[in-house]
Amino acid sequence: MALPVIQAPKFTMTLPTGEQIQYRPFTHKEQKNLLITAQSGGEAEVLQGIIDLVDACTFNKLDWANLPAVCLECAFINIRSKSIAEFVEMRWQCHSKKDGKKCGHMNTVEADLRTAKAEPMPDTTIKVTDDIAIVLDQVTPTDVIRMAGGASTEDILYEKVKMVVHGDEVATEFTKEEFAPFVESFPAEASRAVDEFFKKQATMVLTVPVTCQKCGSESELTIKGALNFFG
């Protein structure tokens, strides 16, 4: 007798961009491959593994590597919740103090993945001077992989800038040779704003109210990023 091929159920999710897409749970083999990558690979390899998994589970409908990174995180969390469980157990240490002594108790809490929310997308317009601004694309998983692999911030920035606005003039085409001295002339405040743009990209956030099982102190546990939802 030929063994049956199990048909996975289909679900629908809404991405932070507002787009709806169908997805299925991942298989045992897909989960095993990702866990092996997570245990032995670096950040770039793990992120590529998540891209490949999400792409397969969403029927190859979107170019996940070049969407805003928060979309990939949202998709992965939804897929994980339908594949394993909607709750994930987290360990956290109590840092409250009483009579000058830190509690230090190690607690566990079940976090509901369905309550994870996407942070707002960062403003893509950065003011360089009073009359000059740059407009960027959102950071994608491809950008993150390249940065993890050692790509320079200058190269990534050049590729992310969609336009340079100078008063009433708009430039959308320029070479690296033209762009380099422009960036090097940035005021320090503008350079910091660029750094913050790359550091503070939108991510998925799960906030869990917690109570220490030893001292009873109440606080919140905040979980960010797809790599923290493997459990």
Side-chain angles (χ1 to χ4, degrees):
M1 181 187 77
L3 296 179
V5 176
I6 300 173
Q7 297 297 317
K10 291 182 180 180
F11 304 93
T12 301
M13 64 175 143
T14 302
L15 300 178
T17 54
E19 184 170 2
Q20 287 192 330
I21 186 168
Q22 284 193 322
Y23 68 101
R24 63 165 174 81
F26 52 65
T27 65
H28 172 71
K29 180 179 180 180
E30 289 168 335
Q31 179 190 17
K32 182 179 179 181
N33 289 340
L34 184 58
L35 289 174
I36 291 173
T37 302
Q39 292 167 0
S40 59
E43 180 184 359
E45 289 79 13
V46 174
L47 190 52
Q48 185 60 57
I50 293 176
I51 292 171
D52 294 341
L53 178 96
V54 169
D55 191 38
C57 291
T58 55
F59 313 104
N60 311 108
K61 295 293 185 181
L62 295 177
D63 182 8
W64 294 99
N66 293 300
L67 290 177
V70 67
C71 291
L72 179 69
E73 291 187 355
C74 175
F76 176 72
I77 292 171
N78 276 276
I79 292 167
R80 186 253 182 242
S81 68
K82 294 299 185 183
S83 304
I84 304 175
E86 292 172 335
F87 291 84
V88 58
E89 187 175 84
M90 298 289 181
R91 290 173 59 81
W92 64 279
Q93 187 175 29
C94 179
H95 295 290
S96 65
K97 290 185 178 180
K98 187 176 182 180
D99 300 327
K101 294 182 180 179
K102 189 173 86 169
C103 174
H105 183 69
M106 190 63 71
N107 297 269
T108 59
V109 64
E110 281 197 338
D112 187 346
L113 295 177
R114 294 169 296 181
T115 65
K117 304 293 184 184
E119 292 178 323
M121 295 286 191
D123 189 354
T124 57
T125 300
I126 295 176
K127 192 173 182 179
V128 178
T129 67
D130 288 341
D131 63 344
I132 299 175
I134 56 175
V135 181
L136 302 96
D137 280 322
Q138 298 286 352
V139 173
T140 68
T142 295
D143 299 323
V144 177
I145 289 173
R146 291 188 60 209
M147 287 186 281
S152 69
T153 303
E154 291 76 13
D155 284 345
I156 299 294
L157 178 60
Y158 170 71
E159 294 166 8
K160 292 282 96 181
V161 173
K162 292 196 296 184
M163 65 181 72
V164 177
V165 181
H166 185 192
D168 295 330
E169 298 181 2
V170 177
T172 57
E173 294 183 6
F174 36 82
T175 66
K176 281 187 177 181
E177 290 72 22
E178 294 170 326
F179 188 69
F182 169 62
V183 173
E184 290 169 359
S185 69
F186 275 20
E189 187 175 348
S191 294
R192 285 193 295 270
V194 169
D195 290 339
E196 287 298 303
F197 174 80
F198 284 105
K199 290 177 182 176
K200 293 188 176 181
Q201 284 296 303
T203 187
M204 295 297 292
V205 179
L206 180 60
T207 303
V208 187
V210 293
T211 302
C212 179
Q213 298 160 350
K214 180 180 179 181
C215 71
S217 66
E218 297 180 350
S219 59
E220 287 185 336
L221 176 65
T222 301
I223 307 162
K224 288 189 174 188
L227 298 183
N228 292 314
F229 292 95
F230 270 104

